[in-house]
């Protein structure tokens, strides 16, 4: 048992991550940044390397996904083993990464959000995003709920200040775009 998850649970998690990788490659997503480099961090949102490297400003959002998935799992299925909840969380995150890299969502991001010129994620970035979700899930499993909420709010406020975007605005602008928010983000 590592972090409350059995060996079988970690094998399931690894299998799901490999499946996500295989699906994204089969979709024709580039394995790494088309620029040919791999970086631990890329901090320029309006660039051709955003969502291509290991981490970027949106990595904070994926940690929050993990917080949310952990909280929901303990609320909706409190008696299930932690590895089962983690596997479901990886499945949901993986499904989002696949959908996010479909032409319909890529086009929606280009039209309705601040992601001008967005071309989707590299496989490296998508798998890293899922890994950040796993880290958030595991961190939430070790913290009190109010600590998790506090860190999530801090991440949201920090990224709002740093790049005029965060998980909340990303969801809003994807689902129900507000022109005033788009103008503010582009300013």
């Amino acid at each position: 048992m590592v972090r409350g998850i059995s060996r079988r649970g970690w094998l399931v998690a690894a299998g799901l991550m490999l499946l996500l990788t295989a699906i994204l490659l089969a979709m024709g997503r580039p394995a790494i940044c088309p620029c040919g480099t791999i970086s631990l961090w890329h901090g320029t949102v309006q660039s051709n390397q955003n969502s291509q490297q290991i981490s970027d400003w949106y990595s904070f959002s994926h940690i929050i996904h993990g917080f949310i998935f952990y909280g929901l799992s303990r609320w909706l299925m409190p008696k299930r083993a932690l590895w089962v909840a983690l596997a479901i969380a990886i499945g949901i995150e993986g499904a989002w990464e696949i959908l996010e890299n479909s032409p319909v969502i890529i086009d929606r991001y280009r039209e309705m959000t601040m992601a001008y010129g967005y071309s989707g994620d590299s496989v490296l970035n998508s798998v890293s995003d899922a890994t950040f979700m796993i880290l958030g899930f595991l961190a939430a499993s070790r913290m009190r709920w109010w600590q998790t909420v506090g860190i999530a709010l801090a991440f949201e406020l920090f990224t709002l200040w740093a790049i005029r975007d965060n998980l909340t605005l990303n969801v809003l602008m994807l689902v129900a775009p507000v022109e005033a928010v788009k103008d503010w983000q582009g300013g």
Side-chain angles (χ1 to χ4, degrees):
M1 297 275 271
V2 179
R3 294 257 176 222
I5 298 175
S6 66
R7 182 174 185 203
R8 177 173 63 169
W10 284 114
L11 289 172
V12 169
L16 289 169
M17 295 293 280
L18 287 172
L19 179 61
L20 171 61
T21 302
I23 291 170
L24 291 168
L25 289 170
M27 290 172 58
R29 302 304 315 154
I32 64 169
C33 178
C35 66
T37 64
I38 296 175
S39 299
L40 180 59
W41 168 261
H42 185 76
T44 306
V45 175
Q46 298 300 335
S47 83
N48 65 348
Q49 290 188 47
N50 191 51
S51 297
Q52 301 299 309
Q53 300 298 345
I54 294 170
S55 62
D56 54 38
W57 288 107
Y58 298 98
S59 300
F60 294 101
S61 294
H62 292 282
I63 293 169
I64 296 171
H65 290 178
F67 293 171
I68 293 168
F69 295 154
Y70 175 78
L72 286 173
S73 75
R74 299 299 87 184
W75 178 51
L76 296 173
M77 36 186 217
K79 295 186 191 290
R80 297 295 254 177
L82 190 60
W83 76 265
V84 172
L86 179 61
I88 292 169
I90 294 169
I92 294 168
E93 185 76 9
W96 166 249
E97 290 297 328
I98 292 163
L99 180 62
E100 180 183 31
N101 286 288
S102 69
V104 68
I105 298 296
I106 291 171
D107 290 344
R108 180 87 175 161
Y109 270 129
R110 285 183 188 156
E111 293 169 17
M112 302 298 174
T113 72
M114 66 178 276
Y116 308 109
Y118 177 69
S119 62
D121 299 358
S122 68
V123 175
L124 173 67
N125 181 262
S126 288
V127 171
S128 294
D129 288 347
T131 302
F132 281 111
M133 182 283 300
I134 292 168
L135 293 174
F137 185 98
L138 294 174
S141 76
R142 299 291 187 209
M143 293 187 289
R144 299 196 182 278
W145 70 267
W146 55 269
Q147 293 170 312
T148 306
V149 170
I151 292 169
L153 288 172
F155 284 174
E156 285 288 89
L157 292 171
F158 175 61
T159 54
L160 182 67
W161 170 79
I163 63 167
R164 294 184 182 212
D165 203 10
N166 58 22
L167 179 59
T168 304
L169 287 181
N170 204 287
V171 171
L172 172 70
M173 296 304 288
L174 192 61
V175 174
V178 177
E179 196 63 35
V181 172
K182 186 176 180 180
D183 292 344
W184 174 76
Q185 287 181 315

